[in-house]
Amino acid sequence: MASATYENIMKDISANNFSPIYFLYGTEPYFIDSIASKIEQVALPEEMKSWNQTILFGQDTTIENVIHEACMYPMGDRRVVILKEAQDLDSQSKGKIDGLIPYCNPQVMQQTTIFVICLKLQDDNKRLPARITNLAAAVQKVGGVALETKRLYDNQVVAWITNYVTSQRITIDANAAEMIAEFVGVEISTIVSSIEKLKVSVGGNLTHITADLVQSNIGVSKEYNVFEFRNALLSRNVEKVNRIVKAFSANDKQHNIIPIIANLYPSFRKLLTFHYCKGKPLPEILSSVGERSEWALKENVAKYAGNYNALQCYNILLMLEQYDMRSKGLNYPSLSSGDLLCELVFRIMNC
């Protein structure tokens, strides 16, 4: 088997190259469910599934029963045993998950069985219990696959969306990927569902995702969203900025200042970098600013350079850091998100 990444595991499964045991655990359920579902779909011909495929659920079984099923001989070439929601089994006094370690023994493990263990965790910040890491080590020792899945960080979501739609032979505008990330969140299953919704909306012939397509199908208001706000602010469009700030302040639960600042900060940082890159070769500017093409550099950065000089960009970045701390209640009197946003925007527009 190739190294244990989601992409490599899925590639091997598609090539009918299976491991005898998979231990899939972590806080991102999408990867766990996708791998288990793929194995369930393709490991056996449809006519053999009723004979050789067993799906177990942690709440309804025991360690002894799981091992018994995994050790059974197939009626044919192979068996598939999938233990779903193993965290429910692990929480019961009748058997902890490391009770499966004895199965990870060449003299015990059934080579004709594809055994899949799916264990979902809740907290990214908690240290993994020893019983989980011990089982993962035991699985790897006998040539199995152990994959820990983690939720994406906020700054990873746009890249993941872009890579995912590319794998579906679809292209996507940078702003459209940012919009999906902003309004759908970091839950991958929800992101995938939203993209599937876009496919349905265009009759299954989706080849390119634009910001307008996202706006019209994922419930994003074209005028009152953080991207239109960012562009209005960078353009110094006073009337539009004030109109959007008023709308945001009226519903500051939906339009909290923290993600707004997170969206503004990279843009002003790119603008500051661009000012200090003048006169350098285009490839060096693109690399420094973090844009992929001359067109993207022009649309996302260069056209705003006349509105804010380097010193203004630097001061705005300091403001954004200050208001980020204020929004989190650090060393400042508490104000509502809407009031902080109004104050911040006034200072930016008058710097």
Side-chain angles (χ1 to χ4, degrees):
M1 297 290 290
S3 58
T5 65
Y6 170 75
E7 292 77 13
N8 284 336
I9 293 170
M10 293 293 277
K11 187 181 298 183
D12 283 336
I13 293 171
S14 297
N16 206 35
N17 181 18
F18 297 98
S19 170
I21 181 169
Y22 296 82
F23 181 32
L24 314 171
Y25 62 99
T27 53
E28 180 45 70
Y30 174 80
F31 299 123
I32 296 172
D33 291 338
S34 293
I35 293 172
S37 178
K38 186 73 171 178
I39 293 172
E40 187 176 344
Q41 290 171 15
V42 306
L44 292 172
E46 199 63 39
E47 65 272 14
M48 295 301 296
K49 289 182 180 179
S50 60
W51 298 97
N52 286 326
Q53 184 164 279
T54 301
I55 311 297
L56 303 169
F57 291 86
Q59 187 175 6
D60 304 321
T61 191
T62 63
I63 291 291
E64 291 77 11
N65 186 52
V66 172
I67 293 178
H68 171 74
E69 289 287 347
C71 288
M72 289 179 64
Y73 287 96
M75 295 183 65
D77 294 332
R78 65 165 64 118
R79 270 176 59 77
V80 174
V81 177
I82 302 177
L83 173 60
K84 297 185 177 182
E85 310 299 336
Q87 70 278 2
D88 293 336
L89 171 63
D90 189 54
S91 66
Q92 296 177 14
S93 59
K94 60 183 180 181
K96 293 294 185 180
I97 198 68
D98 55 358
L100 295 174
I101 290 178
Y103 179 80
C104 302
N105 181 322
Q107 297 180 339
V108 177
M109 189 170 63
Q110 179 58 264
Q111 293 294 331
T112 55
T113 295
I114 300 172
F115 181 28
V116 185
I117 307 162
C118 305
L119 188 148
K120 298 171 184 176
L121 303 171
Q122 295 296 321
D123 195 337
D124 282 299
N125 299 316
K126 282 187 177 180
R127 185 176 180 179
L128 288 172
R131 61 184 182 275
I132 293 178
T133 56
N134 290 342
L135 176 57
V139 167
Q140 291 174 317
K141 190 174 181 179
V142 292
V145 169
L147 176 68
E148 181 181 3
T149 71
K150 294 184 177 180
R151 292 188 184 96
L152 297 178
Y153 293 110
D154 288 345
N155 62 359
Q156 297 174 314
V157 178
V158 172
W160 191 91
I161 291 170
T162 302
N163 290 335
Y164 175 77
V165 298
T166 300
S167 73
Q168 303 293 304
R169 299 183 179 181
I170 301 169
T171 55
I172 185 168
D173 291 340
N175 281 352
E178 289 181 5
M179 284 184 176
I180 294 174
E182 176 69 23
F183 290 93
V184 175
V186 300
E187 188 73 37
I188 293 180
S189 58
T190 308
I191 293 171
V192 172
S193 296
S194 297
I195 294 170
E196 291 301 315
K197 179 181 177 182
L198 292 179
K199 288 182 181 180
V200 172
S201 71
V202 296
N205 298 315
L206 183 63
T207 59
H208 182 69
I209 299 175
T210 64
D212 285 339
L213 192 61
V214 174
Q215 289 165 351
S216 60
N217 289 277
I218 305 184
V220 179
S221 166
K222 184 171 183 179
E223 184 173 22
Y224 299 137
N225 66 63
V226 69
F227 308 102
E228 291 297 319
F229 171 63
R230 179 190 63 193
N231 293 340
L233 195 62
L234 289 169
S235 302
R236 283 192 178 272
N237 186 332
V238 177
E239 181 183 352
K240 189 170 184 179
V241 166
N242 288 336
R243 189 165 63 247
I244 297 176
V245 167
K246 183 178 179 181
F248 282 3
S249 299
N251 189 1
D252 58 8
K253 287 186 178 180
Q254 183 176 351
H255 301 289
N256 189 273
I257 191 174
I258 294 175
I260 293 174
I261 290 174
N263 188 273
L264 294 177
Y265 195 92
S267 295
F268 282 100
R269 185 180 59 207
K270 286 183 178 184
L271 203 51
L272 177 62
T273 304
F274 178 76
H275 280 297
Y276 284 102
C277 285
K278 288 180 179 177
K280 293 183 178 180
L282 178 62
E284 189 175 340
I285 297 175
L286 291 174
S287 176
S288 298
V289 173
E291 293 292 348
R292 296 184 178 182
S293 67
E294 185 176 2
W295 178 87
L297 179 69
K298 179 181 178 181
E299 287 299 307
N300 298 332
V301 185
K303 72 179 184 181
Y304 302 120
N307 298 327
Y308 298 92
N309 61 35
L311 180 59
Q312 288 172 320
C313 291
Y314 176 76
N315 288 331
I316 289 169
L317 289 174
L318 293 180
M319 289 181 210
L320 292 171
E321 291 178 356
Q322 177 189 17
Y323 278 81
D324 182 62
M325 289 190 293
R326 290 185 64 180
S327 68
K328 296 168 183 174
L330 300 177
N331 303 322
Y332 292 96
S334 177
L335 287 177
S336 71
S337 174
D339 289 340
L340 284 173
L341 182 61
C342 291
E343 188 179 309
L344 170 62
V345 169
F346 177 81
R347 291 184 60 185
I348 290 175
M349 296 295 284
N350 290 277
C351 70

